[in-house]
Structure formats: structure tokens, C-alpha cells
Amino acid sequence: MLGWTVRRERLIYTGWRGREIEMGRTYSRDGNVLTGARSVMERRKEYFEELMNEENERERRVEEVTVVNQEVAKISKDEVRRSLKKMK
């Protein structure tokens, strides 16, 4: 069956080829293990909304960066070709 299910207190996603991906346990704000698929999904949604809407250290560090004006050599087509050959 495609979609999300909860088995043994773990969130399981079953893909279209039948492969199951098991996620870790999901806990409520007060530390209880969530067992229903809907409650797990709602808690994960809350978590990611909080995560994406908070200030983080990286944004504050950008203000401390000093700009250095210097010329940068252009990359030639030949350099790109050689690099691509090395990657193959």
C-alpha cells in the first residue's frame, strides 16, 4: 500500500515499488511517543515550521563578513573540458 503508516511506533513510508522507508519515533512536545499517522504528520509539520521560521547563527555571521575586491581569473573552455574528462 502506498503512503504513510505507523507500525511499532515508527512512521513507515511505502513507495510505489513496495519499498518501505522507516523513520524514527516521533515524540509530542511533552515527550510522549505518537502512534497515529495523523498525529505524527502534524507534529512533524509543526517541527519543520518552527525550524524554518527561527533565526539561526549562519544568518547573523553574514553581517560580519568583509568584502574583498579582487580580480578573478576567467575559466576557459579548455579547463572545463579537462576537468570533465577527469570526472569521467
Side-chain angles (χ1 to χ4, degrees), residues 9-22:
E9 299 175 348
R10 292 185 181 268
L11 187 64
I12 309 286
Y13 177 74
T14 307
W16 64 277
R17 289 188 177 176
R19 182 175 177 194
E20 291 185 349
I21 301 168
E22 186 172 327

Side-chain angles (χ1 to χ4, degrees), residues 33-81:
V33 176
L34 299 174
T35 57
R38 182 173 297 273
S39 60
V40 169
M41 298 296 254
E42 287 174 4
R43 178 62 185 121
R44 286 181 181 240
K45 180 182 175 188
E46 285 175 15
Y47 170 76
F48 284 108
E49 284 176 350
E50 290 171 11
L51 185 67
M52 296 298 155
N53 290 318
E54 69 181 24
E55 293 291 323
N56 60 38
E57 294 289 324
R58 185 175 56 218
E59 290 176 359
R60 285 188 225 125
R61 280 194 314 217
V62 172
E63 297 170 5
E64 300 169 12
V65 173
T66 57
V67 178
V68 177
N69 292 324
Q70 70 181 50
E71 283 191 38
V72 178
K74 292 189 178 189
I75 301 171
S76 69
K77 288 182 183 180
D78 194 44
E79 281 181 280
V80 173
R81 285 187 187 114

